[in-house]
């Protein structure tokens, strides 16, 4: 019995998107991801401002500023694209200050191992693109059922956060960390299909849709930064203990001689 091999073809892969998604939906997704790319660059600029300048540092004021831009964006109607420039400005202001807020975490990561930032960004991009493509190529509405489960997971994360304030247990923090990563990956699937369905129903608000995906992207990136930093720190601590034990054994050996 002959074995058939399926060869990967970039054209066939791209054509599968054309078969699954209508032209207006594809154009809308292009706008969404272009806006998401701008948002990501704005966040990177905000993080760089915190790390390399004294113009603005993460703190209470930057957090309040991010909330102000968020509420301005949410309370400014799309109005069939008439207020698009204003809303994009609010979005970039929010993402910039979100990047500033990442500054302290990035400072800690740099002290441990600077290459973790690149590794986390590449891993986040890979996960995000993979889950987005899977959502686009799946059957219509397949991942929308995740909405209730994801809301339950967010509620659980809030409860764990409150519990950890009182108990301060490491296992609670680790559970919250990995459960949050799983939830953010689920939101990429859910939000992508929700954006597609909203466009099919007539919504053209690509600014708000890109905001949803930006929150998912940053959520994954933040958690991968923490997880990878923990792994590197644990590995170095393990190596340090091995070296210490080796030195003690050598010292005892030479003292006996």
């Amino acid at each position: 019995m002959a074995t058939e091999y399926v060869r990967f073809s970039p054209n066939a892969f791209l054509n599968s998107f054309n078969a699954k998604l209508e032209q207006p939906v594809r154009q809308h997704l292009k706008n969404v991801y272009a806006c998401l790319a701008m948002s990501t660059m704005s966040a990177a600029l905000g993080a760089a401002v915190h790390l390399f300048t004294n113009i603005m540092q993460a703190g209470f004021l930057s957090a309040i500023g991010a909330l102000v831009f968020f509420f301005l964006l949410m309370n400014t109607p799309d109005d069939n694209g008439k207020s698009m420039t204003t809303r994009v400005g609010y979005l970039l202001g929010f993402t910039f200050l979100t990047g500033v807020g990442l500054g302290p975490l990035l400072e800690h990561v740099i002290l441990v191992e600077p290459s973790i930032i690149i590794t986390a960004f590449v891993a986040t991009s890979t996960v995000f693109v993979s889950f987005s493509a899977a959502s686009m190529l799946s059957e219509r509405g397949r991942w929308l059922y995740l909405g209730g489960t994801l809301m339950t997971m967010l509620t659980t994360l809030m409860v764990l956060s409150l519990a950890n304030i009182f108990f301060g247990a490491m296992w609670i923090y680790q559970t919250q960390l990995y459960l949050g990563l799983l939830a953010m990956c689920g939101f990429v699937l859910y939000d992508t299909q929700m954006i597609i369905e909203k466009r099919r129903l007539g919504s053209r608000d690509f600014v708000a849709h890109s905001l949803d995906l930006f929150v998912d992207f940053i959520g994954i990136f933040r958690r991968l930064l923490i997880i990878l930093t923990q792994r590197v720190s644990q590995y170095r601590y393990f190596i340090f203990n091995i070296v210490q034990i080796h030195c003690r054994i050598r010292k005892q050996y030479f003292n006996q001689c």
Side-chain angles (χ1 to χ4, degrees):
M1 183 177 179
T3 302
E4 296 183 358
Y5 295 93
V6 179
R7 296 180 61 183
F8 174 78
S9 172
N11 290 331
F13 180 71
L14 294 176
N15 289 335
S16 62
F17 285 97
N18 295 334
K20 285 284 185 179
L21 304 173
E22 309 89 316
Q23 195 281 331
V25 175
R26 296 198 302 271
Q27 183 59 47
H28 181 70
L29 289 175
K30 289 179 182 178
N31 295 334
V32 169
Y33 287 110
C35 196
L36 175 62
M38 292 172 54
S39 301
T40 305
M41 289 187 288
S42 176
L45 178 61
V49 167
H50 173 90
L51 292 173
F52 304 116
T53 72
N54 293 320
I55 299 174
M56 183 179 296
Q57 298 292 301
F60 179 75
L61 291 179
S62 63
I64 293 298
L67 289 176
V68 169
F69 277 116
F70 178 81
F71 283 113
L72 286 173
L73 175 59
M74 292 294 99
N75 291 316
T76 303
D78 180 49
D79 198 17
N80 293 323
K82 294 180 181 179
S83 58
M84 181 187 68
T85 303
T86 302
R87 301 181 78 244
V88 169
Y90 291 151
L91 174 65
L92 295 181
F94 169 75
T95 56
F96 176 84
L97 292 176
T98 300
V100 173
L102 280 174
L105 175 59
L106 294 174
E107 285 180 341
H108 174 71
V109 173
I110 290 172
L111 290 175
V112 175
E113 178 56 56
S115 63
I116 292 176
I117 297 176
I118 302 299
T119 303
F121 181 77
V122 172
T124 301
S125 301
T126 302
V127 170
F128 186 87
V129 171
S130 300
F131 278 82
S132 296
S135 182
M136 293 178 195
L137 296 176
S138 298
E139 297 178 4
R140 182 172 179 177
R142 179 179 181 181
W143 301 108
L144 296 181
Y145 78 93
L146 285 176
T149 303
L150 293 172
M151 291 301 107
T152 302
M153 293 176 71
L154 286 183
T155 303
T156 304
L157 289 172
M158 293 177 60
V159 173
L160 289 174
S161 298
L162 292 175
N164 210 28
I165 293 175
F166 298 100
F167 298 104
M170 179 55 69
W171 71 267
I172 296 179
Y173 177 76
Q174 293 297 109
T175 301
Q176 181 185 0
L177 182 62
Y178 284 93
L179 184 62
L181 178 61
L182 179 62
M184 290 299 104
C185 293
F187 268 112
V188 174
L189 290 170
Y190 175 79
D191 287 336
T192 302
Q193 282 207 336
M194 182 61 73
I195 289 169
I196 294 172
E197 292 304 315
K198 285 181 178 179
R199 179 61 188 90
R200 285 170 174 163
L201 294 175
S203 175
R204 299 173 182 266
D205 189 5
F206 64 88
V207 178
H209 295 166
S210 64
L211 173 63
D212 294 336
L213 295 180
F214 174 79
V215 171
D216 299 339
F217 187 92
I218 289 297
I220 296 173
F221 178 63
R222 186 193 301 272
R223 287 166 175 82
L224 284 180
L225 276 177
I226 298 173
I227 291 171
L228 292 175
T229 304
Q230 287 180 344
R231 295 298 182 185
V232 171
S233 299
Q234 291 171 358
Y235 174 76
R236 289 182 176 177
Y237 181 72
F238 173 76
I239 295 298
F240 175 78
N241 285 337
I242 293 296
V243 172
Q244 289 291 99
I245 294 173
H246 179 70
C247 290
R248 290 174 185 173
I249 293 175
R250 285 179 58 119
K251 185 177 180 180
Q252 291 177 359
Y253 173 78
F254 286 114
N255 286 340
Q256 291 175 359
C257 294

